[in-house]
Amino acid sequence: MQTLQLDRTAISFSPDGMTAYLRLPEPEAGMQYRLEDIQDALSASGVKKGIDQKAIVGMLQSRTYGRSVAVAAGKVPVDGKDGYFEYMFESKLDGKPRINEDGTVSYAIKLFEMVTEGQVIALYHPAIQGVDGYTVKDAPVRARVGRELPPLRGRGFECNPDGVTYVASITGKIDKINDKINILPVYEVSGDVDANMGNIEFRGDVIIHGSVDDVEIRATGTVTIDGVVQGGSIFANKDIVLSGGVLGNGKSVIDAKGGISAKFFEFATVRSKGDITADIFLNSNVYCEGSAFVMSKKGCIVGGSVHAVGGIEANSIGNNAEIRTHVLVGNGGEVRMKMEELNNSIKTAAANISKAETILQKFQEYEEKTGQSCKDDPRRVQLVRIRVRDMARKAADEDALKKLRIMVDSAKGANIKVRKKVFPGVFVSIDSCDTSCKDTFSDIIFIKQQEKVVMRKLSEWGD
């Protein structure tokens, strides 16, 4: 038999160059293909890598004609993997009360994770480098490079000599914000706090595994108390969590720049920059810039005043004795007045700054004209002081005004939802609009429409 010669049209390539295909035309009678000729044709077409001789032999033995068959394959690159940190602590805590299946609420809230000195807090897994590949024509195909992460930033921990194990250097609360970790000291008391121990003031977080009686606690972080606060006051720059509640005796103040959660509040003053969550508000004066949630199936607001800028949600408000209870949402006229005061203060400060800068410019012109320095001139010194003072005042007022505007925007559409009953004696305010309840109503939402407070069926409102 005579052998057939192959031209380059018998060999084709995938678009990425990773596969070569062979297509054998059907030979005439008495003609045949040889393995050596096919290999020569592949070589002439530039195929250098990954030739599958078994596939070629199989084509010849099975007389596979007129169909393209893969006869060479390149090496697919293996991409590298970036390095990453494995954190050995819980970094996502929502800080919210948990509603139990029976409708009660658990206020045993975990606000933060505690670690002890020497505890492993993170492990770094180094990057895995990739393996380059190649095409059938031996052109390199680069793998993705695995990138290393920079070392952990923060304080309160150190990295072991192995370069990958991070351990706490102090006992305290661990926080992870973005890619930064801080371990901060915590003031922890395993028992009650009373007058014998005295007031507590701490730069950090405070944890009391007991009750608090007639003392004051101040913290720049969070405050967590497992027992009941009786007659004491709590001030925190972050959240306050009271797993028990507050028997205020008319003198307790609970003040947080974050949120507040407690089992109950009785005869207390409560202030929060965030949300407030409780089972009971009894004869307390409550104000929060977020929302107030009286969550449990027996949750109620009775007596006193509860003002939540963002809205109120409760099971019941008032009681059968028709005790006067005032609930407010949104922003009253005092907020608008404060905004107007701040606007006027900002304008006055701006005018004073402009006046001072005009006169200071004249001092500068005098210096340029005469060559004499006015740096120590008492009049110039006084003007500089006035300008600095008014610039600081103006910046502070602008910041306060910005916060009030955000609060006003967040209060738009604020309402009061009562899932069970609202009783006579309840006084309702939304922004500057008021109404009072003369009868008992159930399943109610209070909203503001056309500068009036109106009631609608909560179930029909779509909640």
Side-chain angles (χ1 to χ4, degrees):
M1 281 192 176
Q2 294 183 345
T3 59
L4 291 169
Q5 299 296 316
L6 292 171
D7 60 25
R8 293 187 177 184
T9 61
I11 298 168
S12 60
F13 300 90
S14 62
D16 60 5
M18 297 299 289
T19 307
Y21 300 93
L22 174 64
R23 185 178 184 277
L24 296 176
E26 187 170 350
E28 296 178 3
M31 307 293 286
Q32 67 176 5
Y33 296 103
R34 293 193 312 165
L35 177 61
E36 293 83 357
D37 294 331
I38 293 173
Q39 290 174 330
D40 289 343
L42 288 169
S43 179
S45 297
V47 179
K48 299 178 181 180
K49 291 282 191 177
I51 296 174
D52 187 348
Q53 189 164 312
K54 287 183 178 180
I56 299 171
V57 171
M59 289 181 68
L60 295 176
Q61 290 177 345
S62 63
R63 299 185 179 187
T64 302
Y65 302 128
R67 180 166 62 86
S68 293
V69 177
V71 294
K75 181 182 177 182
V76 177
V78 178
D79 287 341
K81 296 183 179 179
D82 294 341
Y84 66 95
F85 286 100
E86 179 185 1
Y87 297 104
M88 316 302 287
F89 60 93
E90 179 59 55
S91 59
K92 296 180 179 179
L93 302 170
D94 61 14
K96 296 180 179 179
R98 184 180 71 258
I99 301 178
N100 301 317
E101 292 183 359
D102 62 359
T104 61
V105 179
S106 172
Y107 291 91
I109 301 169
K110 190 175 183 180
L111 285 179
F112 47 77
E113 184 89 356
M114 290 287 293
V115 295
T116 57
E117 182 179 352
Q119 180 179 334
V120 176
I121 62 168
L123 293 174
Y124 180 64
H125 295 266
I128 298 174
Q129 295 309 311
V131 179
D132 291 341
Y134 49 77
T135 69
V136 293
K137 293 184 177 182
D138 201 22
V141 181
R142 302 300 181 192
R144 178 183 175 276
V145 176
R147 302 183 182 279
E148 299 288 3
L149 293 179
L152 281 179
R153 298 185 301 118
R155 55 179 172 165
F157 63 89
E158 57 189 19
C159 186
N160 283 349
D162 62 9
V164 298
T165 306
Y166 290 81
V167 298
S169 56
I170 64 171
T171 295
K173 179 195 75 167
I174 187 166
D175 277 330
K176 178 180 178 292
I177 301 176
N178 297 324
D179 60 346
K180 190 174 183 180
I181 288 178
N182 289 320
I183 301 175
L184 302 173
V186 172
Y187 187 101
E188 190 168 9
V189 178
S190 298
D192 297 337
V193 176
D194 54 25
N196 292 324
M197 179 176 289
N199 296 335
I200 295 174
E201 187 166 351
F202 186 69
R203 294 186 62 82
D205 299 293
V206 174
I207 304 174
I208 308 297
H209 298 293
S211 296
V212 173
D213 293 339
D214 290 319
V215 297
E216 183 175 286
I217 296 175
R218 292 181 178 269
T220 59
T222 62
V223 175
T224 303
I225 298 173
D226 293 343
V228 174
V229 176
Q230 186 163 339
S233 293
I234 314 295
F235 300 86
N237 283 1
K238 294 184 180 179
D239 294 341
I240 294 176
V241 173
L242 310 173
S243 297
V246 180
L247 296 170
N249 301 327
K251 58 183 180 180
S252 288
V253 177
I254 311 299
D255 190 308
K257 290 185 170 58
I260 299 176
S261 297
K263 187 73 174 174
F264 61 86
F265 294 101
E266 295 186 9
F267 296 93
T269 297
V270 188
R271 298 188 292 259
S272 169
K273 293 287 186 181
D275 295 339
I276 297 179
T277 303
D279 280 1
I280 299 171
F281 293 114
L282 176 62
N283 290 315
S284 293
N285 292 316
V286 180
Y287 174 80
C288 69
E289 293 181 10
S291 298
F293 300 96
V294 189
M295 298 174 61
S296 77
K297 62 182 180 180
K298 295 182 179 180
C300 61
I301 300 171
V302 179
S305 170
V306 176
H307 182 180
V309 173
I312 295 174
E313 185 171 341
N315 265 358
S316 67
I317 302 178
N319 64 4
N320 288 320
E322 301 186 11
I323 185 171
R324 178 178 172 82
T325 305
H326 193 183
V327 286
L328 311 85
V329 297
N331 296 289
E334 69 278 359
V335 174
R336 310 286 178 182
M337 290 176 59
K338 181 62 177 177
M339 292 176 70
E340 185 64 26
E341 290 174 4
L342 288 170
N343 270 318
N344 292 335
S345 178
I346 290 168
K347 290 177 182 178
T348 300
N352 291 341
I353 292 167
S354 177
K355 186 184 299 183
E357 288 179 342
T358 298
I359 301 174
L360 288 170
Q361 180 64 31
K362 292 181 179 179
F363 275 104
Q364 184 176 345
E365 291 171 357
Y366 177 81
E367 287 178 336
E368 293 173 352
K369 182 177 180 180
T370 65
Q372 296 181 9
S373 174
C374 300
K375 181 179 178 181
D376 297 325
D377 188 303
R379 294 169 298 174
R380 182 184 180 281
V381 171
Q382 182 65 14
L383 282 171
V384 170
R385 288 175 178 169
I386 291 173
R387 183 180 64 174
V388 170
R389 180 202 65 193
D390 286 340
M391 288 177 70
R393 182 179 297 167
K394 179 172 176 287
D397 287 345
E398 287 173 340
D399 183 61
L401 183 60
K402 180 181 178 181
K403 291 178 179 178
L404 284 179
R405 284 173 175 162
I406 292 173
M407 190 169 71
V408 168
D409 288 341
S410 69
K412 290 179 179 177
N415 55 55
I416 300 171
K417 298 173 183 176
V418 187
R419 299 190 179 279
K420 291 184 179 177
K421 291 183 178 181
V422 57
F423 293 88
V426 172
F427 191 73
V428 177
S429 299
I430 301 180
D431 293 336
S432 299
C433 303
D434 307 313
T435 191
S436 59
C437 295
K438 306 297 184 182
D439 296 300
T440 300
F441 301 96
S442 299
D443 182 37
I444 289 295
I445 181 171
F446 293 91
I447 60 173
K448 186 176 80 168
Q449 285 186 347
Q450 299 178 348
E451 300 305 311
K452 291 183 179 180
V453 177
V454 298
M455 290 187 295
R456 296 286 184 267
K457 276 288 186 182
L458 179 57
S459 55
E460 296 174 0
W461 188 255
D463 187 348

